Amino acid sequence: MEIFDKELLSKIDNELNKYVEKDNTLYNASKHLLFAGGKRIRPYLATLTYMLKKDNLDEILPPAVAVELIHNYTLIHDDIMDNDDERRGRTTVHVEYGEPIAILAGDLLYAKAFEAISNIKDPKKAHEVLKALSKACVEVCEGQAMDMEFEDRDKISLDDYFEMISKKTGALIIAPIEIGAIMAECTDEERNALYEYAKRIGMTFQIQDDVLDLIGDNKKIGKPVGSDIREGKKTVIVLHALENLPNNKKERLLKILGNNNATDEEIKEAIDILGDSINYAKNIMKNATEEAKNYLKIFDAEKRKRLEAIADFIMDRVY
């Protein structure tokens, strides 16, 4: 079984294209990342969740792509805030089109998401989807603000970190699964199980991003390895290291962490120091992935297969 159904992904892309068909600078800027090889995990999760109970793709595709439009809006604004020059192996929108157009392109995608929701035929479902997506948008903003504040804070607990990633990254993994469940008219028990599954794969998604930043292939991840260290990001790996390293190694790590002028050798040294903490992060992901798959056991064994496979894919992915 292929984890990603090419035919289904093609239908998602066709649906996405309906909202950004115009050919002008603003729309081209909004499409710059949208069709630059993203994995489509979010709309795919919404669709697979829906398909646990129903099979009318025309019903699920508009709300599924709404989440992808929101996700890409956040990426454009993220890149501006982080001053990043590259994403998915190509120049970022603000570098290519300038900051004013990039901000507008992000805003356009945000607005188009709600246009997509307006295409849901059942008003009760449309209202519930709107609530779920609005909540996710609020949490992404809160999580992003927390992440930025962490860079200037000396003392951050692992609990703080997990709260931050549950909002910054988890919210837009949980939302498509909630939306799929709403559209499929899942029971409360099924929705709770799906929420627990989503919470765990959302956490794993961010932790694997943190791991890949240190030991990934920069061509595959589309940015330089170790950029989180230069930016002083307080990831689960760094927080665990700061709690557990002997003083000499801890002091050395703190000298390199957040130093924009750190050499490649110093970045490599910091990654070596973080070795045990990288393994700690991998163990968290392994346990969370098993728990996530266990929550799916209330669904049909055949229909849940791809959702189980995606949980493994998120933990094992290399980009």
Side-chain angles (χ1 to χ4, degrees), residues 292-300 304 308:
K293 290 192 288 187
N294 282 335
Y295 276 106
L296 294 176
K297 286 187 174 163
I298 65 168
F299 295 101
D300 177 83
R304 70 177 189 242
E308 290 169 337

Side-chain angles (χ1 to χ4, degrees), residues 11-290:
K11 285 179 176 167
I12 288 167
D13 274 356
N14 290 340
E15 183 71 22
L16 266 176
N17 202 44
K18 289 179 190 174
Y19 298 93
V20 288
E21 278 181 314
K22 288 184 187 173
D23 182 15
N24 59 38
T25 302
L26 175 62
Y27 278 77
N28 291 339
S30 74
K31 285 182 271 199
H32 183 72
L33 283 181
L34 192 61
F35 295 104
K39 293 179 284 294
R40 303 284 185 251
I41 278 180
R42 290 159 189 84
Y44 195 55
L45 282 169
T47 310
L48 291 181
T49 302
Y50 176 82
M51 289 167 72
L52 289 168
K53 304 282 297 278
K54 294 194 170 193
D55 58 8
N56 178 12
L57 287 183
D58 289 342
E59 184 180 39
I60 187 59
L61 283 174
V65 301
V67 187
E68 186 70 358
L69 290 162
I70 294 280
H71 170 57
N72 277 269
Y73 143 75
T74 67
L75 297 184
I76 293 174
H77 284 209
D78 253 8
D79 289 338
I80 294 169
M81 283 186 273
D82 293 343
N83 230 354
D84 284 340
D85 296 337
E86 201 177 309
R87 183 183 286 276
R88 294 176 182 165
R90 66 191 306 186
T91 52
T92 47
V93 180
H94 66 278
V95 169
E96 191 74 19
Y97 291 91
E99 270 190 31
I101 286 289
I103 291 167
L104 284 173
D107 293 348
L108 177 73
L109 293 176
Y110 184 79
K112 287 287 181 180
F114 294 97
E115 184 183 314
I117 289 169
S118 75
N119 288 326
I120 298 170
K121 301 282 191 289
D122 181 325
K124 186 172 180 294
K125 288 181 184 179
H127 178 69
E128 276 202 71
V129 167
L130 184 61
K131 271 169 59 179
L133 197 55
S134 303
K135 178 173 176 278
C137 290
V138 169
E139 290 191 346
V140 168
C141 293
E142 290 175 351
Q144 179 70 10
M146 285 175 77
D147 192 23
M148 290 160 65
E149 285 162 15
F150 284 2
E151 288 174 32
D152 300 319
R153 253 172 66 187
D154 290 333
K155 190 68 183 158
I156 296 150
S157 70
L158 283 168
D159 284 345
D160 292 334
Y161 169 84
F162 287 121
E163 184 192 348
M164 182 272 287
I165 65 167
S166 76
K167 292 183 169 185
K168 182 189 168 188
T169 304
L172 280 183
I173 297 286
I174 292 167
I177 291 166
E178 283 190 326
I179 287 167
I182 290 163
M183 298 303 291
E185 298 169 30
C186 286
T187 65
D188 286 347
E189 184 197 4
E190 288 166 341
R191 282 178 70 164
N192 287 336
L194 286 163
Y195 173 78
E196 295 297 339
Y197 162 84
K199 198 164 76 171
R200 282 157 182 78
I201 66 167
M203 178 178 74
T204 299
F205 198 98
Q206 181 59 55
I207 295 174
Q208 180 64 346
D209 265 2
D210 296 344
V211 169
L212 287 173
D213 183 80
L214 301 177
I215 59 171
D217 177 334
N218 64 349
K219 288 192 180 70
K220 285 181 177 155
I221 62 175
K223 63 176 185 173
V225 167
S227 58
D228 282 358
I229 293 173
R230 282 197 176 91
E231 288 168 23
K233 294 266 186 199
K234 304 287 192 341
T235 66
V236 66
I237 299 161
V238 167
L239 292 173
H240 177 264
L242 293 175
E243 279 186 11
N244 293 280
L245 283 171
N247 281 339
N248 60 332
K249 287 192 173 180
K250 183 172 160 182
E251 281 169 22
R252 185 65 191 134
L253 178 63
L254 286 169
K255 278 201 170 69
I256 302 168
L257 193 67
N259 176 8
N260 269 316
N261 301 314
T263 64
D264 289 348
E265 287 74 24
E266 286 173 322
I267 295 296
K268 187 179 180 308
E269 183 188 350
I271 292 168
D272 288 343
I273 291 170
L274 292 168
D276 287 348
S277 297
I278 291 170
N279 288 331
Y280 163 79
K282 285 180 174 178
N283 280 331
I284 290 179
M285 290 193 290
K286 192 176 171 191
N287 293 335
T289 300
E290 285 312 306

